[in-house]
Amino acid sequence: MTKELGVGIIGCGNISTTYFSLSPLFKGLKVLACADINVQAAKQRAEEYGVKAQTIDELLANDEIDVVVNLTIPDAHYPVSKAALEAGKHVYSEKPLVLSLEQGEELRRIAKEKGLSVGCAPDTFLGGAHQLARKFVDDGGIGRITSGACYVMGPGMEMWHPNPDFFFLPGGGPILDMGPYYIANLINLIGPVKRVAGLTSMASETRTITSQPRNGEIIPVKTPTTIQALLEFVSGATVTLTASWDVWSHRHANMELYGTDGSLYVPDPNFFGGTVEASGRDKDIKALGAWDHPFGKFNQESPNGPRANYRTAGLADMAMALIEGRDARCSLDRTLHGVDIMTSILKSGAEGRFVDLTTTCTQPAALGIEEAQALLK
Ligand SMILES: NC(=O)c1ccc[n+]([C@@H]2O[C@H](COP(=O)([O-])OP(=O)(O)OC[C@H]3O[C@@H](n4cnc5c(N)ncnc54)[C@H](O)[C@@H]3O)[C@@H](O)[C@H]2O)c1
């Protein structure tokens, strides 16, 4: 197998700039072409980043492309990933992989039949902070994890996104939009989930856009905007996860995990960095000592100060996994288990009962300092 995979990006919107600008940090990847249903968007990115703009059909027929990176909107993830697999390309998708378990099973069937791989974001659990948390758990820092609590809550998306409609339609909502970061990190730290329950609600049947250019326009809400979920892990741990766009302010931490010997405070799973804190039985909460993990180093300025952003690490890990013949950390099985968890929570809310999951997965291999360094050029 070659030592570098040709990458074609489909979907040249907001997040595509992150993939174009960060992929050159990593081994095993060479972005060659891009496409979008909006031809102008593809042309613009092609010009900015020195790659070839193609139509979607041209990109899928391009022999130099080994992996299609699917950065389209959630509703288009399934058809675009399916077309890429059918064209003989490996696929790496932005989250959520698909909107239903059935769509994911179909991707798995085609990939298996054609001997191809499918991977999916989020890859933030590969960040220095989350891998430090993982090492602490693996080393027995808090004993056996027995329970935990996760909160991802805010007032919504209609105050910043120019076209927020899709966030409030089926396939959107806070659990499918933000849940993947939390669930991928819980699978990283605790492993697979056995069954879930959810209570789902919405504060309002409409929302008023306050961003430009549609300020004042009223849009419908057709999916729950507050989800209170219970997750029972195969390990026996039980975790609550609340995801809401109906909350103006709160004082809950992003993720706390409680073990037989202490507690672990995990920073925002939407980011690679942050401070990991823990206490033992003495209840003395302290930051874990910094470690020199490559994916925790500041490499960007943001409105909140310097930050570590290594999005694309999951794609690079998948490329190296293909080259080296090993398991990719952001694998189809893990991400589809995440989809099963999220859609089952929504199903539980609609039906008023616990839902047993039909999928499972293994914990991804930890990504220590050396393994992360090996992904970088
Ligand atoms: N924007 C972010 O900060 C961010 C962060 C993490 C993940 N994501 C995820 O990345 C994905 C894309 O988000 P975004 O913010 O870049 O959206 P966006 O709307 O800015 O861009 C999506 C692009 O996909 C194109 N597109 C839509 N349907 C298509 C199709 N069928 N074929 C080809 N192109 C198509 C659109 O024309 C658009 O250019 C979403 O799944 C989102 O959840 C976004």
Side-chain angles (χ1 to χ4, degrees):
M1 184 133 206
T2 56
K3 293 288 178 212
E4 203 166 58
L5 302 189
V7 174
I9 290 180
I10 301 185
C12 295
N14 199 325
I15 198 68
S16 69
T17 57
T18 302
Y19 281 78
F20 279 112
S21 61
L22 294 179
S23 57
L25 296 177
F26 296 95
K27 282 182 198 156
L29 301 173
K30 186 150 185 62
V31 180
L32 299 172
C34 64
D36 196 294
I37 36 167
N38 174 352
V39 177
Q40 204 43 46
K43 281 191 177 151
Q44 191 186 327
R45 291 285 182 258
E47 209 166 286
E48 281 166 7
Y49 293 98
V51 304
K52 198 188 225 177
Q54 297 196 294
T55 65
I56 292 162
D57 286 347
E58 283 168 353
L59 190 147
L60 294 180
N62 183 340
D63 287 339
E64 291 181 336
I65 303 295
D66 302 297
V67 187
V68 165
V69 175
N70 182 354
L71 307 181
T72 61
I73 52 170
D75 200 32
H77 286 176
Y78 172 65
V80 169
S81 293
K82 187 175 177 204
L85 288 173
E86 281 168 347
K89 313 294 187 194
H90 302 292
V91 170
Y92 185 86
S93 175
E94 250 305 334
K95 54 82 191 166
L97 173 70
V98 284
L99 300 182
S100 72
L101 195 52
E102 292 69 30
Q103 291 178 343
E105 299 285 11
E106 180 65 0
L107 294 187
R108 175 151 51 195
R109 189 191 64 72
I110 302 169
K112 194 169 174 204
E113 187 182 290
K114 294 194 169 261
L116 295 166
S117 279
V118 177
C120 188
D123 53 5
T124 41
F125 71 89
L126 301 177
H130 305 297
Q131 290 298 321
L132 176 59
R134 169 70 187 265
K135 183 168 163 28
F136 194 69
V137 168
D138 286 356
D139 290 347
I142 56 167
R144 179 171 48 84
I145 295 174
T146 54
S147 64
C150 307
Y151 293 90
V152 51
M153 306 193 293
M157 315 303 261
E158 67 275 30
M159 46 292 286
W160 68 272
H161 200 285
N163 290 301
D165 313 62
F166 78 90
F167 287 117
F168 300 101
L169 298 175
I175 195 78
L176 281 165
D177 185 61
M178 293 306 294
Y181 297 104
Y182 288 71
I183 286 164
N185 211 8
L186 288 170
I187 292 172
N188 171 48
L189 294 169
I190 312 179
V193 173
K194 191 159 70 179
R195 64 174 182 154
V196 298
L199 286 172
T200 58
S201 61
M202 59 176 77
S204 163
E205 288 182 359
T206 60
R207 315 276 290 210
T208 304
I209 300 178
T210 54
S211 62
Q212 295 300 341
R214 294 168 59 196
N215 188 12
E217 200 178 313
I218 292 171
I219 56 171
V221 179
K222 300 277 185 200
T223 193
T225 46
T226 292
I227 293 103
Q228 313 252 26
L230 293 172
L231 285 68
E232 183 183 2
F233 286 77
V234 172
S235 72
T238 56
V239 173
T240 59
L241 167 63
T242 300
S244 178
W245 286 334
D246 296 323
V247 173
W248 289 100
S249 74
H250 67 90
R251 284 180 172 161
H252 289 291
N254 293 103
M255 184 177 282
E256 299 190 350
L257 297 176
Y258 314 121
T260 48
D261 294 323
S263 297
L264 181 66
Y265 302 84
V266 181
D268 191 341
N270 191 7
F271 297 101
F272 282 74
T275 304
V276 185
E277 295 175 303
S279 85
R281 292 183 173 209
D282 59 5
K283 304 179 202 160
D284 186 14
I285 302 170
K286 287 196 187 110
L288 298 189
W291 71 331
D292 202 19
H293 194 283
F295 299 163
K297 291 197 170 103
F298 292 147
N299 61 341
Q300 277 188 351
E301 281 304 322
S302 81
N304 302 322
R307 71 171 177 196
N309 184 1
Y310 295 88
R311 283 177 203 250
T312 311
L315 169 63
D317 181 61
M318 177 173 136
M320 292 312 290
L322 283 165
I323 290 166
E324 294 167 359
R326 62 164 171 81
D327 179 46
R329 290 173 173 86
C330 299
S331 68
L332 175 63
D333 283 352
R334 291 183 193 106
T335 197
L336 193 53
H337 187 53
V339 169
D340 192 9
I341 293 168
M342 295 183 293
T343 53
S344 295
I345 288 168
L346 291 171
K347 187 175 180 184
S348 169
E351 298 180 2
R353 62 179 181 86
F354 274 89
V355 176
D356 291 323
L357 300 187
T358 57
T359 61
T360 190
C361 65
T362 55
Q363 243 181 322
L367 187 83
I369 291 174
E370 278 172 26
E371 290 99 339
Q373 199 61 53
L375 295 178
L376 291 166
K377 276 183 184 156

